[in-house]
Amino acid sequence: MTSDTPLPLRTRKLVDDCFLHDSDRLRHDEAIALLRERVSAVAENESVALEEAAGRILAEPVIAPRNVPLTDNSAMDGYAFAHGAYDATGGFFPIDQRIPAGHPAPEPLLPGRAARIFTGAVMPVGADTVAMQEDCETHEQDDAPFVIIPPGLKKGANVRLAGEDVAEGAELIPAGSRLRPQEIAAIASIGQDRVTVARKLKVAILSTGDEIVRPGAPIAPGQVYDSNVYLLRALLESVGVEVTDLGVLPDEPETIRAAIRKASETHQAILSSGGASRGEEDHLVAALDALGTRHMWQLAIKPGRPMNFGQIGDCIMLGLPGNPVAAMVCFLFYVRPVLVAMSGAPWPEPVRLPLPAAFEIKKKKTGRREFSRGWLTRDDEGRLVVDKFERDGSGLITGLREADGLIEIEEDTTGIKRGDIVSFIPFTEFGLPGK
């Protein structure tokens, strides 16, 4: 098998009842639990060069074939010696070796002797401690060099032991890990130049609506520019998938049905924006019903209530609301983890930061979870607090730009006073850069 040959599927395919449920309007936790239970990895594996692996999801664990470091070595430029020949008052050691980095010690170190050694150089047999060169004095006596090592050094000082970073045979990186620069460096440190990763999912995106036009085209009264496709494409790229843009589909049932049918044959997921509700012109839902399995999710969240999930064979279909704030919230909490799990990584659950609120909400409707746009700031005493974008409209992209995260307000909350502890989720928890 060549390095470019696709490897077999790692896990089972999606099942037909992937999104079945018994409720007209799912609470947030119910939706997450159902998806976590039903969605499985479907991505194939492929071998890629290490320089192409950043951001990819590891399909097979990386096992260290050797110790890192390979041998005991010096952490400093200095002088290697045996601690047993050293006492509390310091030491006087003739220098009889010079060991640069990249070269083995020429021979074992004689008792009572020191070796001039450089950072990264192999420790000679017979030495177990290194004194930093700036702490030592060197002299000559009878044309022979010697070093005076100051008192107070502990045995093993300034020495990096073999296997100190990674032991031979250890699992360096588990399968399912997303390879960050630090994982790439760790794999390189064991001498491995290729890794087996999940093949990128193919995701098709589309917009619908006669009122939608793409930027660069002229706009007429009643029309709006399609910001969602650029928002979603950038969000998808942060997940690490291959994106196909199907364009803006008109409100014509047959056109929509034909486009979705064709995309489902070559993609693992289709992501739409708009047309997710039950209106007479929302033809996406009807197309999904005709081609595959659908169960409408009216989610008990704000923003983002109108959202549908389904599948056409083994292709997932995710219908997001048309308002950009709602589309982004639904993507971050539901679409992103679905795609990550389908790629073979663990379900990503964002970390919530409990912080005091620097805002008030006098009255909140119970029974639904709300996500407000917010940011970290400091109060008058310098304490870290969370403030909130004052307007809650789900069409206001300005709020997304001002925010560096989302404030999560649970279903049973009726209001928030200044100083109440709220949950703040930075956008960095969703793999997005900070401001």
Side-chain angles (χ1 to χ4, degrees):
M1 181 179 292
T2 68
S3 61
D4 294 326
T5 302
L7 300 173
L9 285 173
R10 290 179 288 122
T11 53
R12 63 184 174 85
K13 292 185 177 182
L14 299 167
V15 293
D16 290 340
D17 65 346
C18 187
F19 299 120
L20 292 183
H21 62 82
D22 300 321
S23 174
D24 288 337
R25 186 174 296 176
L26 286 180
R27 290 164 69 107
H28 173 74
D29 288 341
E30 293 172 334
I32 294 295
L34 182 60
L35 285 172
R36 292 191 67 164
E37 177 187 358
R38 297 291 183 167
V39 173
S40 61
V42 298
E44 296 179 341
N45 299 348
E46 64 178 346
S47 175
V48 300
L50 190 57
E51 58 266 28
E52 300 172 357
R56 304 294 294 273
I57 293 174
L58 191 64
E60 296 178 353
V62 175
I63 307 299
R66 57 186 60 84
N67 286 330
V68 181
L70 187 61
T71 60
D72 294 352
N73 67 87
S74 177
M76 301 284 180
D77 290 348
Y79 298 88
F81 63 97
H83 196 271
Y86 172 78
D87 59 36
T89 62
F92 173 97
F93 292 87
I95 303 170
D96 65 357
Q97 289 190 33
R98 185 178 187 277
I99 311 172
H103 299 272
E107 56 190 18
L109 191 65
L110 296 174
R113 302 277 179 150
R116 177 73 168 110
I117 198 166
F118 297 88
T119 303
V122 176
M123 290 289 289
V125 174
D128 56 19
T129 306
V130 172
M132 294 190 294
Q133 64 181 14
E134 54 265 39
D135 295 335
C136 300
E137 295 181 17
T138 56
H139 302 277
E140 285 193 5
Q141 183 174 327
D142 298 331
D143 295 328
F146 68 91
V147 61
I148 299 174
I149 296 176
L153 284 175
K154 295 182 179 180
K155 183 178 180 179
N158 303 315
V159 175
R160 296 182 292 213
L161 300 178
E164 181 177 276
D165 189 12
V166 181
E168 179 180 350
E171 183 180 79
L172 181 64
I173 306 171
S177 299
R178 188 175 293 276
L179 298 177
R180 304 171 298 171
Q182 47 268 55
E183 278 79 34
I184 298 295
I187 296 169
S189 76
I190 63 172
Q192 188 168 317
D193 66 345
R194 299 191 71 84
V195 287
T196 301
V197 298
R199 191 181 295 275
K200 291 184 178 182
L201 297 178
K202 293 183 178 180
V203 180
I205 57 174
L206 61 94
S207 304
T208 63
D210 291 341
E211 77 280 13
I212 304 297
V213 294
R214 289 288 171 87
I219 192 168
Q223 293 182 318
V224 294
Y225 281 120
D226 187 2
S227 61
N228 279 1
V229 69
Y230 294 94
L231 171 70
L232 296 176
R233 187 173 193 124
L235 289 169
L236 286 168
E237 288 174 354
S238 74
V239 179
V241 299
E242 292 184 6
V243 180
T244 302
D245 186 356
L246 303 183
V248 179
L249 303 184
D251 287 324
E252 298 173 0
E254 289 303 320
T255 300
I256 291 174
R257 186 181 302 180
I260 291 174
R261 181 193 301 112
K262 184 177 180 181
S264 70
E265 296 170 354
T266 55
H267 295 79
Q268 283 83 36
I270 300 171
L271 182 58
S272 64
S273 171
S277 63
R278 291 190 171 103
E280 293 181 4
E281 295 299 319
D282 294 333
H283 302 298
L284 279 169
V285 173
L288 177 58
D289 284 346
L291 298 172
T293 303
R294 185 269 304 181
H295 198 111
M296 174 67 70
W297 276 11
Q298 290 290 308
L299 299 181
I301 67 169
K302 179 186 177 182
R305 186 180 74 179
M307 182 174 176
N308 68 75
F309 284 73
Q311 66 186 98
I312 303 168
D314 289 319
C315 179
I316 292 294
M317 183 141 183
L318 308 108
L320 297 180
N323 285 319
V325 178
M328 182 165 175
V329 167
C330 288
F331 182 95
L332 295 179
F333 283 102
Y334 311 116
V335 178
R336 177 179 180 268
V338 163
L339 297 177
V340 169
M342 289 174 67
S343 298
W347 186 277
E349 185 62 34
V351 172
R352 278 86 169 161
L353 304 179
L355 292 167
F359 60 90
E360 290 185 356
I361 297 178
K362 293 183 178 180
K363 187 176 181 180
K364 173 195 167 290
K365 182 178 179 180
T366 60
R368 70 184 182 194
R369 188 164 302 200
E370 298 188 4
F371 300 96
S372 297
R373 288 138 284 173
W375 55 87
L376 299 176
T377 185
R378 301 277 179 180
D379 64 12
D380 293 339
E381 298 180 9
R383 294 174 299 187
L384 196 63
V385 295
V386 178
D387 209 348
K388 172 185 173 296
F389 190 67
E390 63 177 338
R391 293 175 291 163
D392 291 325
S394 61
L396 303 176
I397 299 176
T398 300
L400 292 176
R401 291 194 300 107
E402 294 292 330
D404 53 21
L406 296 172
I407 302 164
E408 184 177 39
I409 306 171
E410 296 189 358
E411 290 84 353
D412 297 335
T413 302
T414 58
I416 295 174
K417 301 187 298 294
R418 289 180 180 272
D420 286 352
I421 299 300
V422 296
S423 294
F424 180 72
I425 308 173
F427 284 141
T428 52
E429 283 296 303
F430 301 104
L432 303 178
K435 290 182 70 174

